[in-house]
mmCIF file of all heavy atoms in Angstrom:
data_model
loop_
_atom_site.group_PDB
_atom_site.id
_atom_site.type_symbol
_atom_site.label_atom_id
_atom_site.label_comp_id
_atom_site.label_asym_id
_atom_site.label_seq_id
_atom_site.Cartn_x
_atom_site.Cartn_y
_atom_site.Cartn_z
ATOM 1 N N GLY N 441 130.831 88.598 146.009
ATOM 2 C CA GLY N 441 131.224 89.897 145.569
ATOM 3 C C GLY N 441 130.226 91.008 145.679
ATOM 4 O O GLY N 441 130.487 92.160 145.343
ATOM 5 N N ASP N 442 129.109 90.652 146.209
ATOM 6 C CA ASP N 442 128.022 91.694 146.339
ATOM 7 C C ASP N 442 128.137 92.286 147.851
ATOM 8 O O ASP N 442 128.412 91.473 148.799
ATOM 9 C CB ASP N 442 126.684 91.057 146.083
ATOM 10 C CG ASP N 442 125.790 92.000 145.350
ATOM 11 O OD1 ASP N 442 126.164 93.158 145.171
ATOM 12 O OD2 ASP N 442 124.678 91.518 144.957
ATOM 13 N N ALA N 443 127.851 93.540 147.988
ATOM 14 C CA ALA N 443 127.926 94.122 149.297
ATOM 15 C C ALA N 443 126.522 93.884 150.028
ATOM 16 O O ALA N 443 126.576 93.972 151.239
ATOM 17 C CB ALA N 443 128.258 95.589 149.258
ATOM 18 N N VAL N 444 125.546 93.712 149.269
ATOM 19 C CA VAL N 444 124.235 93.655 150.014
ATOM 20 C C VAL N 444 123.623 92.249 149.991
ATOM 21 O O VAL N 444 123.981 91.399 149.151
ATOM 22 C CB VAL N 444 123.196 94.542 149.233
ATOM 23 C CG1 VAL N 444 123.693 96.004 149.234
ATOM 24 C CG2 VAL N 444 122.970 94.107 147.810
ATOM 25 N N ARG N 445 122.841 92.021 151.009
ATOM 26 C CA ARG N 445 122.106 90.706 151.126
ATOM 27 C C ARG N 445 120.737 91.014 150.698
ATOM 28 O O ARG N 445 120.174 92.087 150.973
ATOM 29 C CB ARG N 445 122.181 90.437 152.659
ATOM 30 C CG ARG N 445 121.604 88.996 152.907
ATOM 31 C CD ARG N 445 121.834 88.683 154.411
ATOM 32 N NE ARG N 445 123.289 88.350 154.736
ATOM 33 C CZ ARG N 445 123.807 87.132 154.484
ATOM 34 N NH1 ARG N 445 123.078 86.166 154.004
ATOM 35 N NH2 ARG N 445 125.028 86.932 154.764
ATOM 36 N N ARG N 446 120.155 90.073 149.879
ATOM 37 C CA ARG N 446 118.852 90.334 149.272
ATOM 38 C C ARG N 446 117.839 89.232 149.694
ATOM 39 O O ARG N 446 118.257 88.029 149.645
ATOM 40 C CB ARG N 446 119.022 90.294 147.781
ATOM 41 C CG ARG N 446 119.612 91.577 147.176
ATOM 42 C CD ARG N 446 119.795 91.475 145.677
ATOM 43 N NE ARG N 446 120.851 92.375 145.373
ATOM 44 C CZ ARG N 446 120.719 93.677 145.135
ATOM 45 N NH1 ARG N 446 119.536 94.235 145.330
ATOM 46 N NH2 ARG N 446 121.693 94.439 144.877
ATOM 47 N N CYS N 447 116.668 89.787 149.903
ATOM 48 C CA CYS N 447 115.537 88.806 150.100
ATOM 49 C C CYS N 447 115.228 88.082 148.847
ATOM 50 O O CYS N 447 115.106 88.677 147.795
ATOM 51 C CB CYS N 447 114.372 89.657 150.617
ATOM 52 S SG CYS N 447 112.839 88.745 150.393
ATOM 53 N N MET N 448 115.180 86.749 148.854
ATOM 54 C CA MET N 448 114.941 85.966 147.679
ATOM 55 C C MET N 448 113.433 85.757 147.433
ATOM 56 O O MET N 448 113.024 84.991 146.522
ATOM 57 C CB MET N 448 115.645 84.629 147.798
ATOM 58 C CG MET N 448 117.088 84.683 147.827
ATOM 59 S SD MET N 448 117.799 85.194 146.271
ATOM 60 C CE MET N 448 118.605 86.717 146.657
ATOM 61 N N GLY N 449 112.610 86.388 148.274
ATOM 62 C CA GLY N 449 111.123 86.139 148.171
ATOM 63 C C GLY N 449 110.526 86.639 146.869
ATOM 64 O O GLY N 449 109.483 86.224 146.438
ATOM 65 N N GLY N 450 111.143 87.614 146.200
ATOM 66 C CA GLY N 450 110.625 88.165 144.923
ATOM 67 C C GLY N 450 109.239 88.680 145.189
ATOM 68 O O GLY N 450 108.985 89.356 146.113
ATOM 69 N N LEU N 451 108.307 88.296 144.316
ATOM 70 C CA LEU N 451 106.942 88.834 144.374
ATOM 71 C C LEU N 451 106.164 88.357 145.636
ATOM 72 O O LEU N 451 105.215 89.000 146.059
ATOM 73 C CB LEU N 451 106.155 88.304 143.104
ATOM 74 C CG LEU N 451 106.648 89.018 141.808
ATOM 75 C CD1 LEU N 451 105.912 88.357 140.722
ATOM 76 C CD2 LEU N 451 106.461 90.531 141.849
ATOM 77 N N ILE N 452 106.682 87.276 146.295
ATOM 78 C CA ILE N 452 106.100 86.760 147.489
ATOM 79 C C ILE N 452 106.280 87.765 148.628
ATOM 80 O O ILE N 452 105.348 87.879 149.519
ATOM 81 C CB ILE N 452 106.814 85.436 147.956
ATOM 82 C CG1 ILE N 452 106.848 84.448 146.823
ATOM 83 C CG2 ILE N 452 106.181 84.863 149.210
ATOM 84 C CD1 ILE N 452 105.570 83.884 146.434
ATOM 85 N N CYS N 453 107.382 88.521 148.648
ATOM 86 C CA CYS N 453 107.715 89.418 149.718
ATOM 87 C C CYS N 453 106.849 90.686 149.678
ATOM 88 O O CYS N 453 106.855 91.383 148.704
ATOM 89 C CB CYS N 453 109.159 89.735 149.731
ATOM 90 S SG CYS N 453 109.579 90.958 150.996
ATOM 91 N N PRO N 454 106.005 90.889 150.724
ATOM 92 C CA PRO N 454 105.141 92.092 150.678
ATOM 93 C C PRO N 454 105.942 93.344 150.600
ATOM 94 O O PRO N 454 105.540 94.355 149.937
ATOM 95 C CB PRO N 454 104.341 91.971 151.992
ATOM 96 C CG PRO N 454 105.096 91.000 152.803
ATOM 97 C CD PRO N 454 105.842 90.074 151.986
ATOM 98 N N ALA N 455 107.045 93.400 151.300
ATOM 99 C CA ALA N 455 107.798 94.676 151.272
ATOM 100 C C ALA N 455 108.372 94.963 149.823
ATOM 101 O O ALA N 455 108.292 96.049 149.365
ATOM 102 C CB ALA N 455 109.059 94.505 152.174
ATOM 103 N N GLN N 456 108.810 93.908 149.227
ATOM 104 C CA GLN N 456 109.354 94.087 147.829
ATOM 105 C C GLN N 456 108.113 94.512 146.815
ATOM 106 O O GLN N 456 108.204 95.376 146.012
ATOM 107 C CB GLN N 456 109.928 92.845 147.245
ATOM 108 C CG GLN N 456 111.371 92.635 147.667
ATOM 109 C CD GLN N 456 112.042 91.457 146.934
ATOM 110 O OE1 GLN N 456 112.199 91.493 145.723
ATOM 111 N NE2 GLN N 456 112.447 90.458 147.722
ATOM 112 N N ALA N 457 107.012 93.873 147.127
ATOM 113 C CA ALA N 457 105.854 94.142 146.237
ATOM 114 C C ALA N 457 105.448 95.585 146.463
ATOM 115 O O ALA N 457 105.146 96.326 145.463
ATOM 116 C CB ALA N 457 104.648 93.196 146.648
ATOM 117 N N VAL N 458 105.444 96.112 147.641
ATOM 118 C CA VAL N 458 105.011 97.510 147.874
ATOM 119 C C VAL N 458 106.086 98.432 147.284
ATOM 120 O O VAL N 458 105.692 99.395 146.628
ATOM 121 C CB VAL N 458 104.871 97.764 149.419
ATOM 122 C CG1 VAL N 458 104.647 99.252 149.606
ATOM 123 C CG2 VAL N 458 103.761 96.986 149.910
ATOM 124 N N GLU N 459 107.285 98.167 147.492
ATOM 125 C CA GLU N 459 108.391 99.033 146.932
ATOM 126 C C GLU N 459 108.364 99.066 145.399
ATOM 127 O O GLU N 459 108.506 100.102 144.780
ATOM 128 C CB GLU N 459 109.716 98.588 147.450
ATOM 129 C CG GLU N 459 109.937 98.814 148.974
ATOM 130 C CD GLU N 459 109.676 100.222 149.413
ATOM 131 O OE1 GLU N 459 110.212 101.168 148.770
ATOM 132 O OE2 GLU N 459 108.992 100.398 150.465
ATOM 133 N N LYS N 460 108.065 97.900 144.843
ATOM 134 C CA LYS N 460 107.992 97.797 143.408
ATOM 135 C C LYS N 460 106.831 98.626 142.934
ATOM 136 O O LYS N 460 106.909 99.308 141.858
ATOM 137 C CB LYS N 460 107.799 96.319 142.989
ATOM 138 C CG LYS N 460 109.036 95.557 142.738
ATOM 139 C CD LYS N 460 108.876 94.284 141.858
ATOM 140 C CE LYS N 460 109.861 94.424 140.737
ATOM 141 N NZ LYS N 460 110.262 93.121 140.247
ATOM 142 N N LEU N 461 105.675 98.542 143.617
ATOM 143 C CA LEU N 461 104.527 99.374 143.283
ATOM 144 C C LEU N 461 104.770 100.892 143.403
ATOM 145 O O LEU N 461 104.389 101.631 142.571
ATOM 146 C CB LEU N 461 103.329 98.933 144.122
ATOM 147 C CG LEU N 461 102.605 97.703 143.527
ATOM 148 C CD1 LEU N 461 101.700 97.123 144.661
ATOM 149 C CD2 LEU N 461 101.740 98.168 142.326
ATOM 150 N N LYS N 462 105.538 101.231 144.414
ATOM 151 C CA LYS N 462 105.934 102.648 144.598
ATOM 152 C C LYS N 462 106.750 103.068 143.451
ATOM 153 O O LYS N 462 106.597 104.185 142.926
ATOM 154 C CB LYS N 462 106.619 102.858 145.884
ATOM 155 C CG LYS N 462 105.835 102.874 147.148
ATOM 156 C CD LYS N 462 106.677 103.166 148.358
ATOM 157 C CE LYS N 462 106.013 102.904 149.664
ATOM 158 N NZ LYS N 462 106.895 102.909 150.802
ATOM 159 N N HIS N 463 107.722 102.218 143.008
ATOM 160 C CA HIS N 463 108.515 102.575 141.918
ATOM 161 C C HIS N 463 107.642 102.604 140.609
ATOM 162 O O HIS N 463 107.865 103.548 139.821
ATOM 163 C CB HIS N 463 109.595 101.462 141.711
ATOM 164 C CG HIS N 463 110.345 101.593 140.472
ATOM 165 N ND1 HIS N 463 111.485 102.406 140.356
ATOM 166 C CD2 HIS N 463 110.255 100.981 139.326
ATOM 167 C CE1 HIS N 463 111.941 102.405 139.044
ATOM 168 N NE2 HIS N 463 111.225 101.495 138.412
ATOM 169 N N PHE N 464 106.674 101.813 140.521
ATOM 170 C CA PHE N 464 105.839 101.722 139.370
ATOM 171 C C PHE N 464 105.096 103.007 139.157
ATOM 172 O O PHE N 464 104.934 103.470 138.030
ATOM 173 C CB PHE N 464 104.827 100.558 139.476
ATOM 174 C CG PHE N 464 103.934 100.372 138.332
ATOM 175 C CD1 PHE N 464 104.395 99.688 137.209
ATOM 176 C CD2 PHE N 464 102.645 100.981 138.205
ATOM 177 C CE1 PHE N 464 103.585 99.511 136.093
ATOM 178 C CE2 PHE N 464 101.806 100.857 137.147
ATOM 179 C CZ PHE N 464 102.243 100.086 136.060
ATOM 180 N N VAL N 465 104.661 103.677 140.237
ATOM 181 C CA VAL N 465 103.881 104.891 140.081
ATOM 182 C C VAL N 465 104.759 106.151 140.159
ATOM 183 O O VAL N 465 104.282 107.264 140.174
ATOM 184 C CB VAL N 465 102.768 105.028 141.185
ATOM 185 C CG1 VAL N 465 101.832 103.837 140.994
ATOM 186 C CG2 VAL N 465 103.343 105.046 142.545
ATOM 187 N N SER N 466 106.111 105.946 140.338
ATOM 188 C CA SER N 466 106.936 107.056 140.621
ATOM 189 C C SER N 466 107.067 108.049 139.388
ATOM 190 O O SER N 466 106.595 107.750 138.270
ATOM 191 C CB SER N 466 108.379 106.575 141.019
ATOM 192 O OG SER N 466 109.000 105.985 139.879
ATOM 193 N N ARG N 467 107.663 109.162 139.673
ATOM 194 C CA ARG N 467 107.714 110.295 138.720
ATOM 195 C C ARG N 467 108.229 109.852 137.296
ATOM 196 O O ARG N 467 107.624 110.218 136.301
ATOM 197 C CB ARG N 467 108.659 111.370 139.243
ATOM 198 C CG ARG N 467 108.834 112.556 138.381
ATOM 199 C CD ARG N 467 107.682 113.478 138.380
ATOM 200 N NE ARG N 467 107.371 114.113 139.669
ATOM 201 C CZ ARG N 467 108.077 115.135 140.209
ATOM 202 N NH1 ARG N 467 109.046 115.737 139.453
ATOM 203 N NH2 ARG N 467 107.805 115.651 141.285
ATOM 204 N N ALA N 468 109.280 109.073 137.202
ATOM 205 C CA ALA N 468 109.815 108.743 135.914
ATOM 206 C C ALA N 468 109.154 107.522 135.295
ATOM 207 O O ALA N 468 109.431 107.180 134.172
ATOM 208 C CB ALA N 468 111.360 108.465 136.025
ATOM 209 N N ALA N 469 108.241 106.867 136.110
ATOM 210 C CA ALA N 469 107.520 105.702 135.566
ATOM 211 C C ALA N 469 106.092 106.169 135.210
ATOM 212 O O ALA N 469 105.958 107.006 134.303
ATOM 213 C CB ALA N 469 107.598 104.582 136.534
ATOM 214 N N PHE N 470 105.042 105.616 135.822
ATOM 215 C CA PHE N 470 103.680 105.879 135.365
ATOM 216 C C PHE N 470 103.183 107.221 135.829
ATOM 217 O O PHE N 470 102.337 107.857 135.237
ATOM 218 C CB PHE N 470 102.790 104.736 135.808
ATOM 219 C CG PHE N 470 102.671 103.672 134.761
ATOM 220 C CD1 PHE N 470 103.672 102.788 134.519
ATOM 221 C CD2 PHE N 470 101.587 103.651 133.955
ATOM 222 C CE1 PHE N 470 103.632 101.893 133.540
ATOM 223 C CE2 PHE N 470 101.439 102.644 132.930
ATOM 224 C CZ PHE N 470 102.492 101.774 132.769
ATOM 225 N N ASP N 471 103.770 107.730 136.986
ATOM 226 C CA ASP N 471 103.456 109.116 137.388
ATOM 227 C C ASP N 471 101.973 109.399 137.373
ATOM 228 O O ASP N 471 101.552 110.315 136.720
ATOM 229 C CB ASP N 471 104.242 110.125 136.490
ATOM 230 C CG ASP N 471 104.293 111.502 137.041
ATOM 231 O OD1 ASP N 471 104.070 111.642 138.303
ATOM 232 O OD2 ASP N 471 104.460 112.438 136.279
#
Side-chain angles (χ1 to χ4, degrees):
Chain N
D442 221 350
V444 300
R445 189 172 284 279
R446 284 176 205 281
C447 160
M448 293 290 120
L451 295 173
I452 306 291
C453 176
Q456 278 189 63
V458 173
E459 293 304 314
K460 273 199 124 151
L461 276 162
K462 285 185 190 168
H463 172 81
F464 184 83
V465 300
S466 68
R467 179 75 65 82
F470 270 73
D471 193 22

